[in-house]
Amino acid sequence: GNGVDELRYALLVSGAEVCDSPEAVRGQCAAFSSEAEIEGLGTVTVGVTTAEGTKCERCWTYSTTVGDCEKHPMLCQRCVPAVPEDLVYKPLEAVSA
């Protein structure tokens, strides 16, 4: 792969994308972008934008795959295999009520 998933997990964010140029970053993240000089890399441009999707009740990341699994509609595609098939995963609000 291109390391994007590893970058996303290392940064503890819902998604990450590597762009070809600083202009591409600023174009996608006009409201929140910044540049930094990093020794050995040069100038790095980083941008932040709102994640798409719904918040997964298990890992708390936002994903467009939440709701794809009928058995576990509150979980993202990454979390579904981590939950036993016979377990009914209930949202936190339902458990505390």
Side-chain angles (χ1 to χ4, degrees):
N2 60 8
V4 173
D5 276 342
E6 290 85 356
L7 179 62
R8 164 171 95 93
Y9 300 136
L11 297 174
L12 299 175
V13 295
S14 295
E17 183 177 339
V18 177
C19 297
D20 293 334
S21 68
E23 293 77 22
V25 173
R26 288 190 288 273
Q28 291 184 30
C29 308
F32 302 103
S33 64
S34 183
E35 293 184 349
E37 189 70 31
I38 299 180
E39 188 176 327
L41 290 178
T43 303
V44 176
T45 305
V46 177
V48 177
T49 188
T50 304
E52 295 179 1
T54 304
K55 186 177 179 181
C56 173
E57 289 285 334
R58 182 174 178 270
C59 69
W60 290 20
T61 61
Y62 286 81
S63 173
T64 57
T65 66
V66 172
D68 286 356
C69 177
E70 189 175 319
K71 180 79 174 173
H72 302 294
M74 303 304 293
L75 303 183
C76 68
Q77 184 180 28
R78 181 173 173 247
C79 287
V80 167
V83 176
E85 186 68 28
D86 60 343
L87 179 71
V88 177
Y89 197 88
K90 294 182 181 178
L92 194 53
E93 299 86 41
V95 175
S96 60

Coordinates of all heavy atoms in Angstrom, one line a residue:
G1 N 0.8 -1.2 0.0 CA 0.0 0.0 0.0 C 0.9 1.2 0.0 O 2.1 1.2 -0.1
N2 N 0.2 2.4 0.1 CA 0.9 3.6 0.1 C 1.1 4.2 1.5 O 1.6 5.3 1.6 CB 0.2 4.7 -0.8 CG -1.2 4.9 -0.3 OD1 -1.6 4.5 0.8 ND2 -2.0 5.7 -1.0
G3 N 0.8 3.5 2.5 CA 1.0 3.9 3.9 C 0.0 4.8 4.5 O 0.2 5.3 5.6
V4 N -1.1 5.1 3.7 CA -2.0 6.1 4.2 C -2.8 5.5 5.4 O -3.0 6.2 6.4 CB -3.0 6.5 3.1 CG1 -4.2 7.3 3.6 CG2 -2.3 7.2 2.0
D5 N -3.2 4.2 5.4 CA -3.9 3.7 6.6 C -3.0 3.7 7.8 O -3.4 4.0 8.9 CB -4.3 2.2 6.3 CG -5.7 2.2 5.6 OD1 -6.4 3.2 5.6 OD2 -6.0 1.1 5.0
E6 N -1.7 3.4 7.6 CA -0.8 3.4 8.7 C -0.6 4.8 9.3 O -0.6 5.1 10.5 CB 0.6 2.9 8.3 CG 0.7 1.4 8.1 CD 0.2 1.0 6.7 OE1 -0.2 1.9 5.9 OE2 0.3 -0.2 6.3
L7 N -0.6 5.8 8.4 CA -0.5 7.2 8.8 C -1.8 7.6 9.6 O -1.7 8.3 10.6 CB -0.4 8.1 7.5 CG -0.3 9.6 7.8 CD1 0.9 10.0 8.6 CD2 -0.3 10.3 6.4
R8 N -2.9 7.2 9.1 CA -4.2 7.5 9.8 C -4.2 6.9 11.2 O -4.6 7.6 12.1 CB -5.3 6.9 8.9 CG -6.6 6.8 9.6 CD -7.7 6.4 8.5 NE -7.9 5.0 8.4 CZ -8.9 4.4 9.1 NH1 -9.6 5.1 9.9 NH2 -9.1 3.1 8.9
Y9 N -3.7 5.7 11.3 CA -3.7 5.1 12.7 C -2.6 5.7 13.6 O -2.8 5.9 14.8 CB -3.5 3.6 12.6 CG -4.6 2.9 11.8 CD1 -4.2 1.9 10.9 CD2 -5.9 3.2 12.0 CE1 -5.2 1.3 10.1 CE2 -6.9 2.6 11.2 CZ -6.6 1.6 10.3 OH -7.5 1.0 9.6
A10 N -1.5 6.1 13.0 CA -0.4 6.7 13.8 C -0.9 8.1 14.3 O -0.5 8.5 15.4 CB 0.8 6.9 13.0
L11 N -1.6 8.8 13.5 CA -2.1 10.2 13.9 C -3.4 10.1 14.7 O -3.8 11.2 15.1 CB -2.3 11.0 12.6 CG -1.0 11.3 11.8 CD1 -1.4 12.0 10.5 CD2 0.0 12.1 12.6
L12 N -4.0 8.9 14.8 CA -5.3 8.8 15.5 C -6.3 9.7 14.9 O -7.0 10.5 15.6 CB -5.1 9.0 17.0 CG -4.2 8.1 17.7 CD1 -4.0 8.5 19.2 CD2 -4.6 6.7 17.7
V13 N -6.5 9.6 13.6 CA -7.5 10.4 12.9 C -8.4 9.5 12.1 O -8.1 8.3 11.8 CB -6.9 11.5 12.0 CG1 -6.1 12.5 12.8 CG2 -6.0 10.9 11.0
S14 N -9.6 10.0 11.7 CA -10.5 9.2 10.9 C -10.1 8.9 9.5 O -10.5 8.0 8.9 CB -11.9 9.9 10.9 OG -12.4 10.0 12.2
G15 N -9.2 9.8 9.0 CA -8.7 9.6 7.6 C -7.5 10.4 7.4 O -7.2 11.4 8.1
A16 N -6.7 10.0 6.4 CA -5.5 10.7 6.0 C -5.4 10.6 4.5 O -5.7 9.6 3.9 CB -4.3 10.2 6.7
E17 N -4.8 11.6 3.9 CA -4.6 11.6 2.4 C -3.2 12.3 2.2 O -2.9 13.3 2.7 CB -5.7 12.3 1.7 CG -5.6 12.3 0.2 CD -6.8 13.0 -0.4 OE1 -7.8 13.1 0.2 OE2 -6.6 13.4 -1.6
V18 N -2.4 11.7 1.3 CA -1.2 12.3 0.9 C -1.4 13.0 -0.4 O -1.9 12.3 -1.4 CB -0.1 11.2 0.8 CG1 1.2 11.8 0.3 CG2 0.1 10.5 2.1
C19 N -1.1 14.2 -0.5 CA -1.3 15.0 -1.7 C 0.0 15.2 -2.5 O 1.1 15.2 -1.9 CB -1.9 16.4 -1.4 SG -3.6 16.3 -0.6
D20 N -0.1 15.5 -3.7 CA 1.0 15.7 -4.6 C 1.7 17.1 -4.4 O 2.9 17.2 -4.7 CB 0.6 15.6 -6.1 CG 0.2 14.2 -6.4 OD1 0.7 13.2 -5.8 OD2 -0.5 14.0 -7.4
S21 N 1.0 18.0 -3.9 CA 1.6 19.4 -3.8 C 1.0 20.2 -2.7 O -0.1 19.9 -2.2 CB 1.4 20.2 -5.1 OG 0.0 20.4 -5.3
P22 N 1.7 21.2 -2.2 CA 1.1 22.1 -1.2 C -0.2 22.8 -1.6 O -1.1 23.0 -0.9 CB 2.2 23.1 -0.9 CG 3.5 22.5 -1.4 CD 3.1 21.6 -2.5
E23 N -0.2 23.1 -2.9 CA -1.4 23.7 -3.5 C -2.6 22.7 -3.4 O -3.8 23.2 -3.1 CB -1.2 24.1 -5.0 CG -0.2 25.2 -5.2 CD 1.2 24.7 -5.0 OE1 1.5 23.5 -5.2 OE2 2.1 25.6 -4.8
A24 N -2.4 21.5 -3.6 CA -3.5 20.5 -3.4 C -4.0 20.4 -2.0 O -5.2 20.3 -1.7 CB -3.0 19.1 -3.9
V25 N -3.1 20.5 -1.0 CA -3.5 20.5 0.4 C -4.3 21.7 0.7 O -5.4 21.6 1.3 CB -2.2 20.4 1.3 CG1 -2.6 20.6 2.8 CG2 -1.5 19.2 1.1
R26 N -3.8 22.9 0.3 CA -4.5 24.1 0.6 C -5.9 24.2 -0.1 O -6.8 24.7 0.4 CB -3.6 25.3 0.2 CG -2.5 25.6 1.1 CD -1.8 26.9 0.9 NE -1.0 26.9 -0.3 CZ 0.3 26.5 -0.4 NH1 0.9 26.0 0.6 NH2 0.9 26.5 -1.6
G27 N -6.0 23.5 -1.3 CA -7.2 23.5 -2.0 C -8.3 22.6 -1.3 O -9.4 23.0 -1.3
Q28 N -7.8 21.6 -0.7 CA -8.8 20.7 0.0 C -9.0 21.1 1.4 O -10.0 20.8 2.0 CB -8.2 19.2 0.0 CG -8.2 18.6 -1.3 CD -7.8 17.2 -1.3 OE1 -8.0 16.5 -0.3 NE2 -7.2 16.7 -2.4
C29 N -8.1 21.8 2.0 CA -8.2 22.2 3.4 C -7.9 23.7 3.6 O -7.1 24.1 4.4 CB -7.2 21.4 4.3 SG -7.2 19.7 4.0
A30 N -8.7 24.5 2.9 CA -8.4 25.9 2.8 C -8.5 26.6 4.2 O -7.8 27.5 4.5 CB -9.4 26.6 1.9
A31 N -9.4 26.1 5.1 CA -9.6 26.8 6.4 C -8.5 26.4 7.4 O -8.2 27.2 8.2 CB -11.0 26.4 6.9
F32 N -8.0 25.2 7.3 CA -7.0 24.8 8.3 C -5.8 24.1 7.6 O -5.8 22.9 7.4 CB -7.6 23.8 9.2 CG -8.8 24.3 10.0 CD1 -10.1 24.0 9.6 CD2 -8.6 25.2 11.0 CE1 -11.2 24.5 10.3 CE2 -9.7 25.7 11.7 CZ -11.0 25.4 11.3
S33 N -4.8 24.9 7.2 CA -3.6 24.3 6.6 C -2.4 25.1 7.1 O -2.5 26.3 7.5 CB -3.6 24.3 5.1 OG -3.7 25.6 4.6
S34 N -1.3 24.5 7.2 CA -0.1 25.1 7.7 C 1.2 24.4 7.1 O 1.1 23.3 6.7 CB 0.0 25.0 9.2 OG 1.1 25.7 9.8
E35 N 2.3 25.2 7.1 CA 3.5 24.6 6.6 C 4.5 24.6 7.8 O 4.5 25.4 8.7 CB 4.1 25.5 5.5 CG 3.2 25.4 4.2 CD 3.8 26.1 3.1 OE1 4.8 26.9 3.3 OE2 3.3 26.0 2.0
A36 N 5.4 23.6 7.7 CA 6.5 23.5 8.7 C 7.8 23.0 8.0 O 7.7 22.2 7.1 CB 6.1 22.5 9.8
E37 N 8.9 23.4 8.5 CA 10.2 23.0 8.0 C 10.6 21.8 8.8 O 10.8 21.9 10.0 CB 11.2 24.1 8.0 CG 12.5 23.8 7.3 CD 12.3 23.8 5.8 OE1 11.5 24.5 5.3 OE2 13.1 23.0 5.2
I38 N 10.8 20.7 8.2 CA 11.2 19.5 8.9 C 12.6 19.0 8.4 O 12.8 18.8 7.2 CB 10.2 18.3 8.8 CG1 8.9 18.8 9.4 CG2 10.7 17.0 9.5 CD1 7.7 17.8 9.3
E39 N 13.5 18.9 9.4 CA 14.9 18.5 9.0 C 14.9 17.2 8.3 O 14.3 16.2 8.7 CB 15.7 18.4 10.3 CG 17.2 18.2 10.0 CD 18.1 18.2 11.2 OE1 17.7 19.0 12.2 OE2 19.1 17.5 11.3
G40 N 15.5 17.1 7.1 CA 15.6 15.9 6.3 C 14.5 15.8 5.3 O 14.6 15.0 4.4
L41 N 13.4 16.5 5.5 CA 12.3 16.4 4.6 C 12.1 17.7 3.8 O 11.5 17.7 2.7 CB 11.0 16.1 5.3 CG 10.8 14.7 5.9 CD1 9.5 14.6 6.6 CD2 10.9 13.7 4.8
G42 N 12.4 18.8 4.4 CA 12.1 20.1 3.8 C 10.8 20.7 4.3 O 10.4 20.4 5.5
T43 N 10.1 21.4 3.5 CA 8.8 22.0 3.9 C 7.7 21.0 3.7 O 7.6 20.4 2.6 CB 8.6 23.3 3.1 OG1 9.7 24.2 3.2 CG2 7.3 24.0 3.5
V44 N 6.9 20.9 4.8 CA 5.8 19.9 4.7 C 4.5 20.8 5.0 O 4.5 21.6 5.9 CB 5.9 18.9 5.8 CG1 4.7 18.0 5.9 CG2 7.2 18.0 5.6
T45 N 3.5 20.5 4.1 CA 2.2 21.2 4.3 C 1.2 20.2 4.8 O 1.1 19.1 4.3 CB 1.8 21.8 2.9 OG1 2.8 22.6 2.4 CG2 0.5 22.6 3.1
V46 N 0.5 20.6 5.9 CA -0.5 19.8 6.5 C -1.8 20.5 6.6 O -1.8 21.7 6.8 CB 0.0 19.4 8.0 CG1 -1.1 18.6 8.7 CG2 1.3 18.7 8.0
G47 N -2.9 19.8 6.3 CA -4.2 20.4 6.3 C -5.2 19.5 7.1 O -5.0 18.3 7.2
V48 N -6.2 20.1 7.6 CA -7.2 19.4 8.4 C -8.6 19.8 7.9 O -8.8 21.0 7.6 CB -7.1 19.7 9.9 CG1 -8.2 19.0 10.7 CG2 -5.7 19.4 10.4
T49 N -9.5 18.8 7.7 CA -10.8 19.1 7.4 C -11.7 18.1 8.1 O -11.3 17.1 8.7 CB -11.0 18.9 5.8 OG1 -12.3 19.4 5.4 CG2 -10.8 17.5 5.4
T50 N -13.0 18.4 8.1 CA -14.0 17.5 8.8 C -14.1 16.2 8.1 O -14.2 16.1 6.9 CB -15.4 18.2 8.8 OG1 -15.2 19.5 9.4 CG2 -16.4 17.4 9.6
A51 N -14.1 15.1 8.9 CA -14.2 13.8 8.4 C -15.6 13.5 7.9 O -16.6 14.0 8.4 CB -13.8 12.7 9.4
E52 N -15.7 12.7 6.8 CA -17.0 12.3 6.3 C -17.5 11.0 7.0 O -16.7 10.3 7.6 CB -16.9 12.0 4.8 CG -16.6 13.2 4.0 CD -16.5 12.8 2.5 OE1 -16.7 11.6 2.1 OE2 -16.2 13.7 1.7
G53 N -18.8 10.8 7.1 CA -19.4 9.6 7.6 C -20.0 9.8 9.0 O -20.2 10.9 9.4
T54 N -20.2 8.7 9.7 CA -20.8 8.6 11.0 C -19.8 8.0 12.0 O -19.0 7.2 11.6 CB -22.0 7.6 10.9 OG1 -22.9 8.1 9.9 CG2 -22.8 7.6 12.2
K55 N -19.9 8.5 13.2 CA -19.0 8.0 14.3 C -19.3 6.6 14.6 O -20.4 6.2 15.0 CB -19.1 8.9 15.5 CG -18.1 8.6 16.6 CD -18.3 9.6 17.7 CE -17.4 9.4 18.8 NZ -17.6 10.4 19.9
C56 N -18.2 5.7 14.6 CA -18.3 4.3 15.0 C -18.4 4.3 16.5 O -17.6 4.9 17.2 CB -17.1 3.6 14.5 SG -17.0 1.8 15.1
E57 N -19.3 3.5 17.0 CA -19.5 3.4 18.5 C -18.4 2.6 19.2 O -18.2 2.7 20.4 CB -20.9 2.7 18.8 CG -22.1 3.5 18.5 CD -22.3 4.6 19.5 OE1 -21.9 4.5 20.6 OE2 -22.9 5.6 19.1
R58 N -17.6 1.9 18.4 CA -16.5 1.1 19.0 C -15.2 1.9 19.0 O -14.5 2.0 20.0 CB -16.4 -0.2 18.3 CG -15.3 -1.1 19.0 CD -15.3 -2.5 18.3 NE -14.2 -3.3 18.9 CZ -13.0 -3.3 18.4 NH1 -12.6 -2.6 17.4 NH2 -12.0 -4.1 19.0
C59 N -14.8 2.4 17.8 CA -13.4 3.0 17.7 C -13.5 4.5 17.7 O -12.5 5.2 17.8 CB -12.7 2.5 16.5 SG -13.4 3.0 14.9
W60 N -14.7 5.1 17.6 CA -14.9 6.5 17.7 C -14.4 7.3 16.5 O -14.3 8.5 16.5 CB -14.4 7.1 19.0 CG -15.2 6.7 20.2 CD1 -16.0 5.6 20.3 CD2 -15.2 7.4 21.4 NE1 -16.6 5.6 21.6 CE2 -16.1 6.7 22.3 CE3 -14.6 8.5 21.9 CZ2 -16.3 7.1 23.6 CZ3 -14.8 8.9 23.2 CH2 -15.7 8.2 24.0
T61 N -14.0 6.6 15.4 CA -13.6 7.3 14.2 C -14.8 7.5 13.3 O -15.8 6.7 13.4 CB -12.5 6.6 13.4 OG1 -12.9 5.3 13.0 CG2 -11.2 6.4 14.2
Y62 N -14.7 8.5 12.5 CA -15.8 8.7 11.5 C -15.6 8.0 10.3 O -14.5 8.0 9.7 CB -16.0 10.2 11.2 CG -16.6 11.0 12.4 CD1 -15.8 11.3 13.5 CD2 -17.9 11.2 12.4 CE1 -16.4 12.0 14.6 CE2 -18.5 11.9 13.5 CZ -17.7 12.2 14.6 OH -18.3 12.9 15.7
S63 N -16.6 7.2 9.8 CA -16.4 6.4 8.6 C -17.7 6.3 7.8 O -18.8 6.4 8.4 CB -16.0 5.0 9.0 OG -16.0 4.1 7.9
T64 N -17.5 6.3 6.5 CA -18.7 6.1 5.6 C -19.2 4.7 5.6 O -20.2 4.4 5.0 CB -18.3 6.6 4.2 OG1 -17.2 5.8 3.7 CG2 -18.0 8.1 4.1
T65 N -18.5 3.8 6.3 CA -18.9 2.4 6.3 C -19.8 2.0 7.5 O -20.3 0.9 7.6 CB -17.7 1.4 6.2 OG1 -16.9 1.6 7.4 CG2 -16.8 1.7 5.0
V66 N -19.9 3.0 8.4 CA -20.8 2.7 9.6 C -22.2 2.5 9.1 O -22.7 3.3 8.3 CB -20.8 3.9 10.6 CG1 -21.9 3.7 11.7 CG2 -19.4 4.0 11.2
G67 N -22.9 1.4 9.5 CA -24.2 1.1 9.0 C -24.2 0.1 7.9 O -25.3 -0.4 7.5
D68 N -23.1 -0.3 7.3 CA -23.1 -1.2 6.2 C -23.4 -2.6 6.6 O -23.9 -3.4 5.9 CB -21.7 -1.2 5.5 CG -21.4 0.0 4.7 OD1 -22.4 0.8 4.5 OD2 -20.3 0.1 4.1
C69 N -23.1 -3.0 7.9 CA -23.4 -4.3 8.4 C -24.7 -4.3 9.1 O -24.9 -3.6 10.1 CB -22.2 -4.7 9.3 SG -22.5 -6.4 10.1
E70 N -25.6 -5.2 8.7 CA -26.9 -5.2 9.3 C -26.9 -5.7 10.7 O -27.6 -5.3 11.6 CB -27.8 -6.2 8.4 CG -29.3 -6.2 8.8 CD -30.1 -7.0 7.9 OE1 -29.9 -7.0 6.7 OE2 -31.0 -7.7 8.4
K71 N -26.0 -6.7 11.0 CA -25.9 -7.2 12.3 C -25.3 -6.2 13.3 O -25.7 -6.2 14.5 CB -25.0 -8.5 12.3 CG -24.7 -9.2 13.6 CD -25.9 -10.0 14.0 CE -25.5 -10.8 15.2 NZ -26.7 -11.5 15.7
H72 N -24.4 -5.4 12.9 CA -23.8 -4.3 13.7 C -23.8 -3.0 13.1 O -22.8 -2.5 12.6 CB -22.3 -4.7 14.0 CG -22.1 -6.1 14.7 ND1 -22.6 -6.3 15.9 CD2 -21.6 -7.2 14.2 CE1 -22.3 -7.6 16.2 NE2 -21.7 -8.1 15.2
P73 N -25.0 -2.4 13.0 CA -25.2 -1.1 12.3 C -24.5 0.1 12.9 O -24.4 1.1 12.2 CB -26.7 -0.9 12.3 CG -27.2 -1.6 13.5 CD -26.2 -2.8 13.6
M74 N -24.0 0.0 14.1 CA -23.3 1.2 14.7 C -21.8 1.1 14.6 O -21.1 1.9 15.1 CB -23.7 1.3 16.2 CG -25.2 1.4 16.4 SD -26.0 2.8 15.6 CE -25.2 4.1 16.4
L75 N -21.3 0.1 13.9 CA -19.9 -0.2 13.8 C -19.4 0.1 12.3 O -20.1 -0.1 11.4 CB -19.5 -1.6 14.2 CG -19.9 -2.0 15.6 CD1 -19.4 -3.4 15.8 CD2 -19.4 -1.1 16.6
C76 N -18.1 0.5 12.2 CA -17.5 0.6 10.9 C -17.0 -0.7 10.4 O -16.9 -1.7 11.1 CB -16.3 1.6 11.0 SG -14.9 1.1 11.9
Q77 N -16.6 -0.7 9.1 CA -16.2 -2.0 8.5 C -14.9 -2.6 9.2 O -14.8 -3.8 9.2 CB -15.9 -1.7 7.0 CG -15.5 -2.8 6.2 CD -15.2 -2.4 4.8 OE1 -14.8 -1.3 4.5 NE2 -15.4 -3.3 3.8
R78 N -14.1 -1.7 9.7 CA -12.9 -2.2 10.4 C -13.2 -2.9 11.8 O -12.6 -3.8 12.2 CB -11.9 -1.0 10.7 CG -10.6 -1.4 11.3 CD -9.7 -0.2 11.4 NE -8.5 -0.5 12.2 CZ -8.2 0.0 13.3 NH1 -9.0 1.0 13.8 NH2 -7.2 -0.3 14.0
C79 N -14.2 -2.4 12.5 CA -14.6 -3.0 13.8 C -15.5 -4.2 13.7 O -15.5 -5.0 14.7 CB -15.3 -1.9 14.6 SG -14.1 -0.6 15.2
V80 N -16.3 -4.4 12.7 CA -17.2 -5.5 12.6 C -16.5 -6.8 12.8 O -17.0 -7.6 13.6 CB -18.0 -5.5 11.3 CG1 -18.7 -6.8 11.0 CG2 -19.0 -4.3 11.2
P81 N -15.4 -7.1 12.2 CA -14.7 -8.4 12.4 C -14.2 -8.6 13.9 O -14.0 -9.7 14.3 CB -13.5 -8.5 11.5 CG -13.8 -7.4 10.5 CD -14.7 -6.4 11.1
A82 N -14.0 -7.5 14.6 CA -13.5 -7.6 16.0 C -14.6 -7.9 17.0 O -14.3 -8.3 18.1 CB -12.8 -6.3 16.3
V83 N -15.8 -7.9 16.6 CA -17.0 -8.2 17.5 C -17.5 -9.5 17.1 O -17.8 -9.8 16.0 CB -18.1 -7.1 17.3 CG1 -19.3 -7.4 18.2 CG2 -17.5 -5.7 17.7
P84 N -17.7 -10.4 18.1 CA -18.2 -11.7 17.9 C -19.6 -11.7 17.1 O -20.4 -10.8 17.4 CB -18.4 -12.4 19.2 CG -17.4 -11.6 20.1 CD -17.3 -10.2 19.5
E85 N -19.8 -12.6 16.2 CA -21.0 -12.6 15.4 C -22.3 -12.7 16.3 O -23.3 -12.0 15.9 CB -21.0 -13.9 14.5 CG -22.1 -13.9 13.5 CD -22.0 -12.9 12.4 OE1 -20.9 -12.4 12.1 OE2 -23.1 -12.5 11.9
D86 N -22.3 -13.4 17.4 CA -23.5 -13.5 18.2 C -23.7 -12.4 19.2 O -24.6 -12.4 19.9 CB -23.5 -14.9 18.9 CG -22.3 -15.1 19.9 OD1 -21.3 -14.3 19.7 OD2 -22.3 -16.0 20.7
L87 N -22.7 -11.5 19.3 CA -22.8 -10.4 20.2 C -23.7 -9.3 19.6 O -23.5 -8.9 18.5 CB -21.4 -9.8 20.6 CG -21.4 -8.6 21.5 CD1 -21.8 -9.0 22.9 CD2 -20.0 -8.0 21.5
V88 N -24.6 -8.8 20.4 CA -25.4 -7.6 19.9 C -24.8 -6.4 20.5 O -24.8 -6.2 21.7 CB -26.9 -7.8 20.4 CG1 -27.7 -6.6 20.0 CG2 -27.5 -9.0 19.8
Y89 N -24.2 -5.6 19.6 CA -23.5 -4.4 20.0 C -24.5 -3.3 20.2 O -25.2 -2.9 19.2 CB -22.4 -4.0 19.0 CG -21.4 -3.0 19.6 CD1 -20.3 -3.5 20.3 CD2 -21.6 -1.7 19.4 CE1 -19.4 -2.6 20.8 CE2 -20.7 -0.8 20.0 CZ -19.6 -1.3 20.6 OH -18.7 -0.4 21.1
K90 N -24.7 -2.7 21.4 CA -25.7 -1.7 21.6 C -24.9 -0.4 21.9 O -23.9 -0.3 22.5 CB -26.5 -2.0 22.9 CG -27.4 -3.2 22.7 CD -28.2 -3.5 24.0 CE -29.0 -4.7 23.8 NZ -29.8 -5.0 25.0
P91 N -25.5 0.7 21.4 CA -24.9 2.1 21.6 C -24.8 2.3 23.1 O -25.6 1.8 23.9 CB -25.9 3.0 20.9 CG -26.6 2.2 20.0 CD -26.7 0.8 20.6
L92 N -23.8 3.1 23.5 CA -23.6 3.5 24.9 C -24.8 4.0 25.5 O -25.2 3.7 26.7 CB -22.4 4.4 25.0 CG -21.8 4.7 26.4 CD1 -21.4 3.3 27.0 CD2 -20.6 5.6 26.3
E93 N -25.6 4.9 24.8 CA -26.8 5.5 25.4 C -27.8 4.4 25.8 O -28.5 4.5 26.8 CB -27.5 6.4 24.4 CG -26.6 7.6 24.0 CD -25.7 7.3 22.8 OE1 -26.2 6.6 21.9 OE2 -24.6 7.7 22.9
A94 N -28.0 3.3 25.0 CA -28.9 2.3 25.3 C -28.5 1.5 26.5 O -29.3 1.0 27.3 CB -29.0 1.3 24.1
V95 N -27.2 1.3 26.8 CA -26.7 0.5 27.9 C -26.9 1.3 29.2 O -27.3 0.7 30.2 CB -25.2 0.2 27.7 CG1 -24.7 -0.5 29.0 CG2 -25.0 -0.7 26.5
S96 N -26.7 2.6 29.2 CA -26.8 3.4 30.4 C -28.3 3.8 30.8 O -28.5 4.3 31.8 CB -26.0 4.7 30.3 OG -26.4 5.5 29.2
A97 N -29.2 3.6 29.8 CA -30.6 4.0 30.1 C -31.3 3.0 31.0 O -31.0 1.9 31.2 CB -31.3 4.1 28.7

